[in-house]
Amino acid sequence: MSESQPQAVYLKDYTAPDYRIETINLRFDLDPEATTVTSRMEVRANYDPAEGRRPFVLNGQELELVSVSMDHDPVGDEGYEISDDTLVIPHPPAHFHLEVVTRINPSANTALEGLYVSGGNFCTQCEAEGFRKITYFPDRPDVMTRFTTTVVADRKEYPVLLSNGDRIDSGELEDGRHYVTWHDPSLKPSYLFALVAGDLACIADHFTTMSGKEVKLELYVQYGNEDKTEHAMRSLKKAMRWDEEVYGREYDLNTYMIVAVDDFNMGAMENKGLNIFNSRFILAKPETATDMDFVNIEGVIAHEYFHNWSGNRVTCRDWFQLSLKEGFTVFRDSQFTADMTSPAVKRIDDVSLLRTRQFAEDAGPMAHPIRPDSYVEINNFYTLTIYEKGAEVVRMIHTLLGPERFRKGSDLYFKRHDGQAVTTDDFVRAMEDANGVDLSRFSHWYEQAGTPRVEVERAYDAAAKQYRLTLRQSCPPTPGQPEKAPCQIPVKTALLSREGAALPLRLAGESQAGGSERVLVLNEPDQTFIFEEIPAEPVPSLLRAFSAPVKLEGGYSDEELAFLMGNETDDFNRWDAGQQLALRVIVRLIEGAPRELDRGLSAAFGKILADDRLDPALVAEALALPPEEYIAECMDEVDPLAIHEARQFVRIALAETHHEALAARYTALADPGPYRVEADAMGRRRLRNACLAYLVQLEGESERAFAQYEAAGNMTDSMAALVALVHNAAPRYDEALQHFYQRWHEDPLVLDKWFAVQAAAPAPGALERVRKLLDHPDFTMRNPNRVRSVIGAFVMRNPAGFHRDLAAYTFLADQIISLDRLNPQVAARMLDPLTRWKRYDESRRNVMKEELERILRVPRISSDVYEVVSKSLAA
């Protein structure tokens, strides 16, 4: 980038493109260091030419321009204007053909945007603005065209040549080269373009759609990984069938391809018909992948497949609308995973991520609405707010409308906007029009940053048998938004008798009761809901299934939370009651309460542990204490070490008090049969390993963990034992680490686990351990997975280890400066811990701020890092 300060882009400045690209024909002559790209476009004015000619502006970065021709005639230097990031044709006709030839160096592309080389293979990543690093083009999502792509390469080195759409031609050329031509019949923006070339193994299968069409399924991996693809292929077929059954969406092309690559900034990319995946979301077998890996692979494959409609067939008009495709698709993949596994556990997993990380994002300097007003670098807005909070907003519409009416709305949305680039307003309008409802108040969720708070006031009138719930909403100020309008908040509610029964509900003004659960819609700053014929004061069950992404202040006593842990009929709320009770206990310890185990928490823990009627996966979640990151979000000033010590005290006290029960449950859950990727088997392993995590903290129990490590026939049990040993610095943990490395050092994805388990260990000396890991011969800054497994695990998953030594802040700043020269996207994402510098004590705060200021002084800092640092300092 130039030395000038990066400039913001604003939603209010959006205008439609001046030109349409009717078609584009691309030819790639592949060479690792000098690839030639020839682009032939048919261009037509998107305005009234009678008003005067407008310049045609094409985006381009890090390109060597070879030639420009218009309507087959060369264009000299005087016929165009070129800068660091644009090529401008000043006065083109209203309809013309433009040929642009560029040259690029894929081997030098360490940022992994555009066309680059990974493991000897060519691949692309064009979202959000990577296509401009391939050739000059109006690189914006509302410029949609039909692509025809010819890929030319040495046949011996690159026998596989892939791009979007259907293969329409292929042949041999002189000098041992060959070519394949692909045509994509669908209109698509440049961010959905993809190309892969290399020597890859192909695993083929097929799928019959609901209309009877046969679709070829092709999964490409490096040779030697073929035995790790069965789960991915099975997951793809399950996702295709589910999307037909639940949303009525059928796949449209003749072939669906997935390619797994080792070097990838994201998890995966939904390029039309040719998905490119980070290999960790494809490759899995029981010996090398954990249960959570299997679940994540299934979910990510489903996510990218669902994008075929919610993102590709209907795409976003501009990058401010990113949640249009991502929020909707995350909601869809969450539904899918809930159907494939345990709905309650999936909901708990989603909300845990939201509370520990997205709520923190909402409270930090990078807070933004799910439809931002501005950005400096769009890569910084691939955030949990866009994805996870965006999904929660779609979920609220689903809650308000119900499944059948939501399906009517989605059907209209896809029908109305197929082949278009649209906005979040268009999505909401389709829901309104299909169902005759008014969701205008709902727009505030898209426009406002921050996490709303809902405060509850309760009153019971025994004489009148009336129960009053008053709900008050507020939202704290965020950068640029000091005042907030009230949102439309669905609060799913039940009332429980003191015996634990859900009561029939009749609101004032209704003639009869209407079931035992209601969705109370909070539209105003405060509203009161009156329930009639309530025989005795109940315990309210509020925000069931986490029906809105808010912070609930329900005014519960410790006794009521313990009651809900034992009697709640909503699985999510039962879990949440335990989390809130444990949170209170830990916070009181941090504030100086006597170091003793809370009796109510201990009793509830024991009751859940002993209840073998419950889903084991749900029990495992219920036994887990709130993570340190979530505890930090609930405190005004964060003391990471005090949080860690208080939480550890409760964990050890629970383990000591329930030692026999934990050991008995651990033994009873042993699975004598073969490993199965099924919900019940995964739930049993989840609970058994949760018991082990408690037990290994006690003297004499490390041998149990080491025995499990030695006997484990699957990666789930192996990793659970290794984490238990390493994170507790238990006897023989180093022996286990050495054994693990010797066995798996040639498998990159498993080796990432070995690095991460050490970087996330909270014991003293964490910084020095991480420094040594960076010097390990298997560590490289050029692979994002490896960076995340060491630096990311240390700074984002090890709060006690990271914050114990102030020198860690200097360490992180050094790594960000180094990374920024290689891969600005990854560097910017590592900044997160420093952005919250104001929430810590003075000594930590001062060093964090100094390091942010030092990063900002680095010459030629990327726009990715500049935006995060400057906003953090200005907040």
Side-chain angles (χ1 to χ4, degrees):
M1 57 171 281
S2 65
E3 294 288 344
S4 60
Q5 181 172 303
Q7 299 300 304
V9 181
Y10 294 91
L11 173 59
K12 62 182 177 61
D13 295 334
Y14 172 83
T15 57
D18 289 332
Y19 290 89
R20 302 193 310 272
I21 311 299
E22 302 284 334
T23 61
I24 183 170
N25 284 265
L26 294 169
R27 177 186 171 99
F28 288 80
D29 287 280
L30 295 178
D31 180 279
E33 297 179 354
T35 289
T36 301
V37 183
T38 303
S39 166
R40 297 184 179 91
M41 293 171 279
E42 181 182 359
V43 186
R44 193 178 299 274
N46 198 36
Y47 62 91
D48 184 356
E51 298 175 355
R53 294 185 180 182
R54 300 180 186 177
F56 180 41
V57 180
L58 302 91
N59 306 108
Q61 291 179 358
E62 302 171 18
L63 303 174
E64 177 189 346
L65 180 63
V66 177
S67 65
V68 181
S69 300
M70 182 182 294
D71 293 327
H72 309 295
D73 294 326
V75 176
D77 294 350
E78 71 286 351
Y80 60 82
E81 301 166 2
I82 192 167
S83 68
D84 287 347
D85 50 18
T86 59
L87 172 68
V88 180
I89 310 297
H91 305 292
H95 178 221
F96 60 98
H97 292 80
L98 187 71
E99 179 182 283
V100 179
V101 181
T102 54
R103 191 174 292 117
I104 54 180
N105 183 351
S107 292
N109 184 357
T110 61
L112 311 184
E113 295 177 283
L115 179 68
Y116 63 95
V117 175
S118 170
N121 302 306
F122 288 91
C123 60
T124 55
Q125 172 55 36
C126 293
E127 188 177 0
E129 296 177 338
F131 193 75
R132 64 189 61 189
K133 293 187 175 183
I134 292 174
T135 186
Y136 287 100
F137 190 81
D139 189 12
R140 44 189 286 177
D142 56 353
V143 175
M144 303 174 70
T145 187
R146 290 183 172 85
F147 282 72
T148 301
T149 304
T150 299
V151 188
V152 182
D154 181 273
R155 170 176 279 285
K156 183 178 179 181
E157 294 291 327
Y158 310 104
V160 173
L161 306 176
L162 308 175
S163 191
N164 311 84
D166 296 317
R167 184 186 287 105
I168 60 171
D169 192 17
S170 62
E172 302 296 323
L173 299 173
E174 58 187 20
D175 300 328
R177 297 185 302 156
H178 70 134
Y179 73 91
V180 178
T181 300
W182 298 82
H183 175 67
D184 188 348
S186 302
L187 286 169
K188 71 169 182 281
S190 55
Y191 85 84
L192 289 172
F193 173 79
L195 179 153
V196 172
D199 189 7
L200 299 165
C202 177
I203 294 84
D205 207 328
H206 69 278
F207 178 82
T208 304
T209 70
M210 58 185 179
S211 67
K213 184 175 77 172
E214 288 288 314
V215 177
K216 292 186 291 183
L217 307 179
E218 297 177 350
L219 209 167
Y220 292 86
V221 298
Q222 291 185 339
Y223 284 100
N225 286 326
E226 297 93 325
D227 63 337
K228 301 176 185 176
T229 60
E230 180 182 349
H231 178 69
M233 186 67 79
R234 184 168 59 247
S235 298
L236 174 59
K237 290 193 281 188
K238 287 163 68 175
M240 296 177 82
R241 182 65 65 208
W242 185 91
D243 209 20
E244 291 181 343
E245 294 173 350
V246 178
Y247 280 90
R249 300 296 104 195
E250 184 175 4
Y251 186 64
D252 48 343
L253 294 175
N254 296 321
T255 307
Y256 190 88
M257 298 174 286
I258 294 176
V259 180
V261 299
D262 288 339
D263 302 305
F264 204 66
N265 284 338
M266 300 182 178
M269 180 59 209
E270 71 268 18
N271 321 292
K272 181 71 180 180
L274 176 57
N275 291 182
I276 300 178
F277 271 65
N278 189 316
S279 57
R280 70 190 180 99
F281 290 115
I282 289 294
L283 304 178
K285 60 182 181 179
E287 295 83 0
T288 62
T290 66
D291 288 346
M292 191 52 63
D293 291 331
F294 279 100
V295 171
N296 288 339
I297 287 168
E298 185 173 79
V300 174
I301 283 177
H303 180 95
E304 306 307 334
Y305 175 75
F306 297 156
H307 264 315
N308 186 59
W309 279 92
S310 51
N312 295 1
R313 290 285 290 260
V314 183
T315 195
C316 48
R317 185 195 73 179
D318 53 74
W319 291 121
F320 299 100
Q321 318 296 330
L322 180 57
S323 196
L324 173 81
K325 72 183 187 77
E326 295 301 347
F328 186 20
T329 305
V330 169
F331 171 67
R332 277 158 40 79
D333 82 54
S334 179
Q335 286 182 295
F336 169 77
T337 299
D339 286 349
M340 297 301 112
T341 56
S342 162
V345 172
K346 174 58 178 170
R347 192 71 189 121
I348 289 168
D349 288 343
D350 288 347
V351 175
S352 295
L353 177 63
L354 195 78
R355 283 177 168 172
T356 55
R357 295 187 54 202
Q358 194 282 318
F359 280 11
E361 196 168 88
D362 260 351
M366 289 295 289
H368 58 277
I370 62 171
R371 184 178 61 202
D373 297 320
S374 67
Y375 61 82
V376 172
E377 174 52 65
I378 185 55
N379 289 326
N380 287 334
F381 283 85
Y382 282 76
T383 61
L384 290 165
T385 298
I386 298 296
Y387 281 70
E388 305 302 327
K389 186 174 181 179
E392 292 298 317
V393 169
V394 175
R395 182 182 294 275
M396 285 190 287
I397 297 176
H398 187 275
T399 298
L400 291 167
L401 297 179
E404 292 183 5
R405 295 204 298 167
F406 185 86
R407 168 66 188 272
K408 282 179 62 179
S410 67
D411 283 349
L412 178 61
Y413 170 71
F414 289 128
K415 180 179 180 181
R416 179 183 283 177
H417 298 298
D418 191 9
Q420 298 178 13
V422 299
T423 68
T424 54
D425 289 337
D426 293 315
F427 176 79
V428 176
R429 192 173 300 114
M431 292 292 166
E432 292 178 318
D433 293 348
N435 295 287
V437 297
D438 179 8
L439 294 173
S440 55
R441 284 286 186 94
F442 207 77
S443 64
H444 298 314
W445 282 107
Y446 288 96
E447 299 164 352
Q448 296 180 168
T451 304
R453 289 177 168 82
V454 175
E455 183 181 355
V456 182
E457 183 179 304
R458 304 180 266 160
Y460 178 66
D461 186 333
K465 295 184 178 180
Q466 286 185 338
Y467 187 72
R468 300 168 67 91
L469 276 177
T470 298
L471 306 179
R472 296 187 178 91
Q473 64 166 300
S474 62
C475 191
T478 52
Q481 292 185 333
E483 302 292 334
K484 305 294 175 69
C487 289
Q488 190 171 31
I489 302 176
V491 182
K492 193 177 290 187
T493 301
L495 300 179
L496 304 181
S497 73
R498 295 292 168 167
E499 291 73 38
L503 300 171
L505 301 182
R506 178 168 72 85
L507 285 166
E510 295 179 343
S511 59
Q512 58 184 13
S516 60
E517 183 178 82
R518 289 296 183 84
V519 176
L520 307 180
V521 182
L522 177 60
N523 287 315
E524 305 299 333
D526 62 89
Q527 286 173 248
T528 297
F529 302 88
I530 302 174
F531 296 91
E532 306 280 9
E533 297 300 323
I534 303 300
E537 183 172 3
V539 177
S541 170
L542 303 171
L543 209 68
R544 290 162 74 85
F546 204 69
S547 57
V550 301
K551 292 183 177 180
L552 181 70
E553 299 171 2
Y556 291 109
S557 66
D558 286 5
E559 292 73 22
E560 286 176 320
L561 290 175
F563 169 83
L564 290 171
M565 285 183 72
N567 298 279
E568 176 64 90
T569 57
D570 180 85
D571 286 338
F572 174 84
N573 272 17
R574 184 174 189 175
W575 166 82
D576 193 39
Q579 293 289 291
Q580 299 311 312
L581 181 57
L583 176 65
R584 288 185 186 181
V585 170
I586 294 168
V587 170
R588 287 197 287 258
L589 289 170
I590 294 169
E591 293 173 346
R595 289 293 173 113
E596 57 188 27
L597 180 60
D598 182 86
R599 292 181 180 180
L601 177 62
S602 180
F605 183 97
K607 183 176 180 180
I608 290 171
L609 178 60
D611 192 344
D612 57 11
R613 297 167 300 175
L614 296 174
D615 175 6
L618 189 60
V619 174
E621 291 291 347
L623 297 182
L625 296 179
E628 293 175 26
E629 298 89 335
Y630 178 54
I631 299 168
E633 287 310 308
C634 299
M635 305 188 71
D636 293 329
E637 184 174 282
V638 180
D639 184 339
L641 299 186
I643 291 171
H644 177 72
E645 289 166 6
R647 186 176 182 272
Q648 280 298 101
F649 171 81
V650 176
R651 279 178 55 83
I652 294 170
L654 287 170
E656 289 173 340
T657 303
H658 301 280
H659 182 194
E660 291 185 7
L662 286 164
R665 200 78 199 265
Y666 173 85
T667 301
L669 288 164
D671 191 352
Y675 178 90
R676 293 178 297 125
V677 187
E678 295 173 7
D680 63 330
M682 289 191 293
R684 289 171 61 85
R685 285 190 291 272
R686 192 167 187 162
L687 178 54
R688 188 169 191 260
N689 287 319
C691 293
L692 180 67
Y694 274 104
L695 289 167
V696 76
Q697 301 172 111
L698 305 179
E699 187 176 352
E701 284 288 353
S702 61
E703 280 304 315
R704 188 191 300 267
F706 195 85
Q708 175 171 311
Y709 173 78
E710 286 193 309
N714 61 78
M715 185 56 67
T716 303
D717 289 340
S718 178
M719 277 303 300
L722 188 65
V723 169
L725 290 166
V726 174
H727 285 205
N728 288 283
R732 304 182 72 184
Y733 83 89
D734 194 53
E735 182 182 345
L737 276 174
Q738 291 180 32
H739 177 270
F740 192 94
Y741 177 81
Q742 291 301 320
R743 183 177 181 186
W744 297 113
H745 69 277
E746 293 183 354
D747 188 313
L749 295 180
V750 181
L751 193 58
D752 286 337
K753 300 179 191 298
W754 180 83
F755 276 106
V757 72
Q758 297 174 80
L767 177 59
E768 287 311 307
R769 286 196 300 275
V770 169
R771 289 188 189 278
K772 289 179 181 178
L773 291 174
L774 294 188
D775 291 333
H776 195 281
D778 288 316
F779 179 80
T780 172
M781 279 283 203
R782 291 177 176 266
N783 179 268
N785 286 352
R786 192 57 47 86
V787 171
R788 286 186 282 258
S789 73
V790 178
I791 302 173
F794 175 52
V795 305
M796 295 183 183
R797 289 162 44 195
N798 188 359
F802 176 62
H803 291 283
R804 181 173 278 110
D805 189 339
L806 297 183
Y809 307 148
T810 302
F811 165 82
L812 177 55
D814 289 342
Q815 304 313 311
I816 288 166
I817 292 168
S818 297
L819 266 172
D820 193 45
R821 302 186 188 107
L822 295 171
N823 192 322
Q825 281 190 46
V826 175
R829 287 169 188 160
M830 294 294 158
L831 272 163
D832 187 65
L834 296 181
T835 65
R836 296 170 199 158
W837 59 278
K838 287 190 174 182
R839 300 200 58 212
Y840 296 90
D841 62 83
E842 185 177 4
S843 58
R844 289 189 173 97
R845 195 161 58 232
N846 289 341
V847 178
M848 287 183 179
K849 184 183 179 185
E850 289 170 3
E851 294 306 326
L852 287 169
E853 291 170 340
R854 178 165 70 93
I855 293 170
L856 204 59
R857 292 194 298 269
V858 173
R860 298 184 64 82
I861 190 174
S862 71
S863 58
D864 306 64
V865 170
Y866 170 84
E867 179 175 28
V868 177
V869 174
S870 59
K871 286 184 175 180
S872 300
L873 290 170

